[in-house]
Amino acid sequence: MNSRRFLSIAVVVAAAALSNDTAWAQTGQGWDRTVRVAEYLEPAIPHPKQEKAARNKLKQLEAKIGRKPNILILLVDDMGYGDPGAFGGGAMIGAPTPNIDRLAAEGLKLTSTYAQPLCTPTRAALMTGRLPARSGLTRPLLANDRPTKNPWAAEVSAARLLSQNGYITGLAGKWHIGEGQGMQPQQVGYDEFHGFLGVISEYTQYMMPRKYEQLVADPERVKTFKSLSAYNAVVTGKKGRQLKIDYPLETVQQIGNCDQDFANWSVDFIERAAKQNQPFYLIHAFGKLHFDNFAAAGYEGRSPAKLPYKDAVIEVDDIVGRLMATLQNTGQLDNTLVFFTSDNGPEEDSFPDAGFTPFRSGKGTTWEGGVRVPGIAYWPGLIKPGRVSDGLFDLMDLFNTSLAVAGIEDQIPSERYIDGIDQTSFLLADQGQSGRQAVFVYNQADFSGLRWGEFKGYFKVLLSDQPFTNISMSRYVPVGVAPWVFDLYRDPKERRTMSNGDYEWAYGPILQLQKQHAATFVKYPKKDIGLGIGDAPRG
């Protein structure tokens, strides 16, 4: 059947009368429960009552404060789902996280938050609201990568739209979405940036002779490796200006102290925004916990585990507490949406310098361990304390949600498909339910599977030939006759699929949603920037 046929399955007239939160059940077709309000926007499950409640909360707050709310996204690098105490780790695994746990206890803990399998794709998706297959940012950019085209030339970040509408926009810490001209943070929407353009391991490789001796012991190799980037350094950027190198990264001590530097900058950014009485949008992107982890001054041996990774978790938690205290001290805590998360699952290939997940596999895969991450939404007075939800939340949804919170969701350009959805009412309504019907997971640009309800269906899977080699020694292969379907409530570790026995019926919704998703690529295709685009989703 022509793939265009499946697009109509998801299209429902947005103006249909919806008198209560269950009315949509009569408007969808088959297993579909969504409403598509525009061709270029991902359809969502409507919840009229909670949407109205969320709008009222935002109006009342703006009337009280006199300006739009702030948005603070705390993005940890490679933190495992099970690292924070609130998600089963903490003291139990040798690294208590009281500040992160407090956010969860006093906010909304999201137990089904999804990222991309790797860092660059997640960061791009979070900022643009688009699947990496559409933006072309499908895998981490390495030092010697030279994209054939600038992916940002045809992308619009939430930061850009917010900056154009009165927000001060900033990013602290790790970027890793391009170093070339036109691809730097201050050139794609951020008014200010302070951090590094790459990833910690790109710098530690020329600093650690005991680990990377074949590189470090050869001066010519070191010279060549370092020449691949003009920015082996911590840099500062401001909109309309060229990057300024603050200091080159030459020692592991500097690497260890980077996150304290980034925290100092974020504290200053928040304080300056308060003095200017201007709303801010800040992504604080930690350099940690990506390998190689080195302790900041005063943090070596701070964790009960006395291990470098665990000491780094303690530092991350302390910085979370420090940033929250800054919001409190500047009088902005009640006017700031805070979202805490990780960019993917733990990097098991770097074990033991790695995090913990209770799920199968880790970073670099589409198994739950690779894409399911901790998620916490916190906003005193607007988010009811102590809420816990297993509703689906994709980090791409932060694009739409940030714009909606700022009241500019109607300014999303219509030239490109937006895969994120507005989840404001899910977060803010006291009994809010997710508007996301499914999460689609990709291996770089290649469709792998989807989650619907408690079920996860795979069309292609990543299989590792030995433990802790999800990236180093894995194969990406198609499944056989039927999708592999796992019931994540009965089998969250995805150990045994019973899809052709206990729940053969679940093929129906999974196949329908996959075909509808595939149909969106007819008008809004993948983008090739020289990193590979993979196969088109079947449909």
Side-chain angles (χ1 to χ4, degrees):
M1 184 177 290
N2 190 307
S3 59
R4 291 180 183 273
R5 165 69 178 84
F6 293 110
L7 185 59
S8 64
I9 297 176
V11 178
V12 186
V13 178
L18 296 172
S19 59
N20 57 60
D21 275 0
T22 61
W24 53 262
Q26 287 77 48
T27 67
Q29 297 186 38
W31 295 98
D32 188 19
R33 296 296 181 266
T34 62
V35 167
R36 186 185 292 277
V37 299
E39 185 183 38
Y40 65 94
L41 295 176
E42 180 74 4
I45 301 171
H47 299 291
K49 287 185 178 179
Q50 72 182 42
E51 290 161 12
K52 181 179 179 180
R55 286 194 299 270
N56 288 339
K57 281 189 175 184
L58 289 171
K59 287 179 181 178
Q60 292 169 8
L61 181 67
E62 186 172 356
K64 176 183 176 182
I65 302 295
R67 62 176 176 82
K68 297 293 184 181
N70 309 309
I71 301 159
L72 172 61
I73 298 172
L74 303 170
L75 183 62
V76 188
D77 199 359
D78 290 0
M79 173 174 267
Y81 182 97
D83 280 335
F87 289 82
M92 183 193 79
I93 56 173
T97 54
N99 293 298
I100 298 170
D101 298 349
R102 181 181 176 184
L103 292 183
E106 298 179 4
L108 167 60
K109 181 169 75 171
L110 298 164
T111 61
S112 288
T113 302
Y114 284 85
Q116 303 299 314
L118 295 164
C119 53
T120 295
T122 289
R123 293 161 198 272
L126 183 156
M127 296 178 193
T128 66
R130 282 162 50 80
L131 282 165
R134 298 193 207 269
S135 69
L137 290 159
T138 56
R139 62 168 174 79
L141 292 165
L142 304 177
N144 62 333
D145 274 329
R146 296 292 182 268
T148 55
K149 63 179 70 172
N150 177 7
W152 288 102
E155 299 296 325
V156 176
S157 67
R160 182 182 298 281
L161 295 172
L162 290 163
S163 179
Q164 293 170 351
N165 285 273
Y167 274 71
I168 305 173
T169 58
L171 189 144
K174 175 182 174 179
W175 174 239
H176 211 199
I177 322 181
E179 295 189 6
Q181 287 300 311
M183 298 174 65
Q184 298 166 3
Q186 81 282 5
Q187 297 169 334
V188 302
Y190 294 92
D191 297 322
E192 303 180 32
F193 166 66
H194 178 72
F196 48 65
L197 295 179
V199 56
I200 281 180
S201 59
E202 286 287 304
Y203 312 120
T204 56
Q205 287 183 83
Y206 58 75
M207 300 177 187
M208 300 173 63
R210 292 292 297 271
K211 182 177 181 182
Y212 305 108
E213 59 268 34
Q214 290 151 306
L215 172 64
V216 179
D218 189 322
E220 189 64 29
R221 287 180 176 179
V222 171
K223 181 180 178 181
T224 300
F225 183 81
K226 294 177 74 171
S227 72
L228 297 175
S229 172
Y231 300 104
N232 296 309
V234 169
V235 299
T236 294
K238 293 190 176 182
K239 185 168 63 175
R241 304 180 191 176
Q242 293 298 310
L243 285 176
K244 177 176 71 71
I245 293 179
D246 292 328
Y247 54 90
L249 291 169
E250 299 289 353
T251 69
V252 295
Q253 288 76 25
Q254 288 177 313
I255 292 294
N257 288 320
C258 271
D259 275 295
Q260 292 299 317
D261 180 13
F262 304 155
N264 292 340
W265 188 88
S266 286
V267 166
D268 178 68
F269 180 90
I270 293 170
E271 290 175 344
R272 285 188 285 112
K275 290 177 182 177
Q276 296 172 32
N277 194 31
Q278 194 170 352
F280 70 79
Y281 171 83
L282 173 63
I283 297 180
H284 183 90
F286 293 83
K288 293 181 172 72
L289 303 159
H290 195 289
F291 77 96
D292 301 283
N293 281 290
F294 287 93
Y299 278 91
E300 187 170 2
R302 277 277 302 276
S303 67
K306 310 300 181 188
L307 297 170
Y309 182 90
K310 305 298 184 179
D311 293 344
V313 171
I314 297 293
E315 183 188 359
V316 165
D317 185 75
D318 281 356
I319 291 172
V320 169
R322 184 180 173 195
L323 295 178
M324 300 309 297
T326 302
L327 291 175
Q328 178 74 60
N329 295 338
T330 57
Q332 299 182 98
L333 188 63
D334 293 345
N335 196 37
T336 303
L337 167 62
V338 178
F339 198 96
F340 174 89
T341 192
S342 174
D343 63 346
N344 43 244
E347 171 99 60
E348 292 189 328
D349 289 63
S350 62
F351 184 85
D353 192 5
F356 166 68
T357 180
F359 305 118
R360 179 172 179 172
S361 201
K363 175 182 176 179
T365 77
T366 56
W367 298 108
E368 289 292 279
V371 293
R372 195 166 174 180
V373 294
I376 302 170
Y378 174 87
W379 195 346
L382 268 75
I383 293 179
K384 182 180 178 181
R387 285 179 60 203
V388 179
S389 175
D390 194 45
L392 299 180
F393 192 99
D394 193 301
L395 293 185
M396 288 187 295
D397 299 340
L398 287 172
F399 173 84
N400 307 64
T401 303
S402 295
L403 299 181
V405 164
I408 60 168
E409 65 272 27
D410 60 340
Q411 295 189 30
I412 297 175
S414 60
E415 294 83 10
R416 58 194 64 80
Y417 194 86
I418 301 298
D419 297 281
I421 66 170
D422 175 14
Q423 294 270 42
T424 306
S425 70
F426 177 30
L427 303 184
L428 301 190
D430 288 351
Q431 306 298 325
Q433 298 177 28
S434 175
R436 177 164 286 281
Q437 181 167 248
V439 169
F440 302 97
V441 294
Y442 278 72
N443 173 41
Q444 299 187 54
D446 203 23
F447 178 75
S448 174
L450 64 91
R451 178 172 171 186
W452 170 80
E454 68 269 37
F455 294 100
K456 183 93 170 281
Y458 292 93
F459 296 79
K460 291 184 179 180
V461 292
L462 279 140
L463 301 176
S464 299
D465 288 342
Q466 64 184 29
F468 301 106
T469 59
N470 303 320
I471 299 173
S472 305
M473 191 182 292
S474 61
R475 293 169 290 117
Y476 185 54
V477 298
V479 300
V481 176
W484 291 6
V485 180
F486 295 88
D487 180 348
L488 297 179
Y489 284 172
R490 288 198 283 187
D491 180 22
K493 290 181 178 291
E494 300 174 291
R495 291 168 294 190
R496 184 182 180 190
T497 174
M498 298 291 292
S499 49
N500 207 43
D502 291 357
Y503 34 86
E504 185 177 2
W505 65 270
Y507 287 148
I510 288 170
L511 289 170
Q512 179 181 344
L513 295 174
Q514 181 268 331
K515 290 172 181 175
Q516 291 175 194
H517 176 65
T520 66
F521 285 87
V522 175
K523 183 173 181 179
Y524 303 96
K526 296 179 179 182
K527 184 194 300 181
D528 185 2
I529 65 167
L531 302 181
I533 62 171
D535 297 329
R538 290 187 292 179

